[in-house]
Amino acid sequence: MDLHRSRSRPAVTAALTGLLLFVSAPAALSEPVPGASSTPARGNAYMGMGVLAHDGAGVGAPPTDDRATQTEGVDVSSHQGDVDWPKLWDGSVRWAYTKATEGTYYTNPYFAQQYNGSYNTGMVRGAYHFATPDTTGGAAQADYFVDHGGGWSKDGKTLPGALDIEWNPYGDDCYGKSTSGMVGWIRDFLDRYKSRTGRDAVIYTATSWWTQCTGNYGGFAAKNPLWIARYAATAGTLPSGWSYYTMWQYTSTGATVGDHDRFNGSQTQLTKLATG
């Protein structure tokens, strides 16, 4: 079809201008599609980013565990933007973790609204760090985390920081490290975090990644609480050394923010973890 015959030149120009504006308009904030072929820009990683792509979603969700003995939580990052914390509270969410940092190059621009907003609503809150062992050492990343929101205070409302260690969204699954090299990197992070805050950090991971990239190392289980990632009716087999999980990310499609979690205990036990 000949545009010059069906439309005047000004009309064509306006149509093309509108098309350019449409293409260049910023998209609404949302989590990147797991398993997408393009490599995301640094800073875009979030907790559980690789779970669906590598482990899938099990048949039988939602969880079958007894909700009466567990406490509902959520985890958020910049992809959620400003979070409606009162709505989550009304939906029985009682704790939350917010992404604070990634590597030694990124801080979450929504951290204050998310971290303080959950606290002000009445929730017990914590911060997490997305590890990138291919960029800088574990101790350096622990320092960056603590210096940018990942600290801890004994107020009964602040949970120990969490190390998000999982599939590399920017390259090799294990960040180019051997199993012993990965264990060493994690140990350096945990030791520095403990020396800076006095608390043992929570470890967030998936059993399949942990097995592949640490050789299913069991040496952290005695001190570091486990936050297991598995989108299924049960948490499944846990990494070596842990006989139970402290937290469980059980879905990426929950109400309001997507990622929902369970604390494996009552509200009173959750407060005890926060208090130290």
Side-chain angles (χ1 to χ4, degrees):
M1 180 178 182
D2 189 343
L3 287 174
H4 292 285
R5 293 180 180 176
S6 61
R7 302 181 185 176
S8 66
R9 189 176 299 276
V12 174
T13 302
L16 290 175
T17 301
L19 178 61
L20 287 172
L21 288 172
F22 175 79
V23 171
S24 62
L29 283 168
S30 62
E31 290 185 346
V33 178
S37 57
S38 59
T39 301
R42 290 275 179 179
N44 277 281
Y46 57 89
M47 187 172 274
M49 190 170 188
V51 174
L52 282 175
H54 292 85
D55 286 352
V59 176
T64 57
D65 295 60
D66 186 359
R67 295 191 65 151
T69 61
Q70 297 191 327
T71 308
E72 190 77 5
V74 295
D75 58 272
V76 297
S77 67
S78 64
H79 297 291
Q80 279 78 34
D82 290 338
V83 174
D84 188 345
W85 293 112
K87 183 177 181 180
L88 285 166
W89 178 267
D90 291 343
S92 299
V93 173
R94 294 296 180 263
W95 60 278
Y97 267 87
T98 296
K99 180 182 178 182
T101 51
E102 178 179 317
T104 53
Y105 52 80
Y106 171 86
T107 57
N108 175 8
Y110 291 92
F111 181 77
Q113 192 278 343
Q114 295 175 347
Y115 189 70
N116 296 329
S118 55
Y119 181 95
N120 292 336
T121 306
M123 297 181 191
V124 182
R125 50 81 189 275
Y128 80 84
H129 173 79
F130 193 95
T132 57
D134 57 336
T135 60
T136 46
Q141 293 196 26
D143 281 334
Y144 189 79
F145 178 44
V146 173
D147 292 342
H148 295 86
W152 175 78
S153 58
K154 193 172 184 176
D155 57 4
K157 296 285 292 290
T158 303
L159 293 160
L163 172 64
D164 179 358
I165 185 78
E166 57 175 292
W167 294 277
N168 179 9
Y170 310 117
D172 174 72
D173 282 349
C174 301
Y175 301 86
K177 292 194 174 294
S178 65
T179 55
S180 61
M182 182 61 74
V183 169
W185 191 97
I186 295 170
R187 181 180 294 111
D188 288 346
F189 182 99
L190 299 176
D191 287 350
R192 181 61 63 88
Y193 188 82
K194 177 68 176 288
S195 71
R196 289 286 306 272
T197 66
R199 293 301 306 271
D200 290 301
V202 175
I203 295 177
Y204 168 96
T205 196
T207 300
S208 58
W209 183 90
W210 191 263
T211 301
Q212 175 187 352
C213 297
T214 74
N216 206 18
Y217 180 75
F220 300 126
K223 295 182 178 180
N224 299 95
L226 173 66
W227 189 349
I228 193 67
R230 186 170 188 256
Y231 305 158
T234 67
T237 301
L238 303 180
S240 178
W242 284 281
S243 59
Y244 63 92
Y245 62 86
T246 298
M247 300 165 185
W248 170 26
Q249 186 189 57
Y250 67 88
T251 184
S252 62
T253 57
T256 306
V257 299
D259 293 352
H260 277 243
D261 310 86
R262 297 275 174 84
F263 174 78
N264 196 12
S266 66
Q267 182 75 35
T268 299
Q269 291 170 308
L270 178 66
T271 301
K272 288 178 67 175
L273 176 62
T275 304

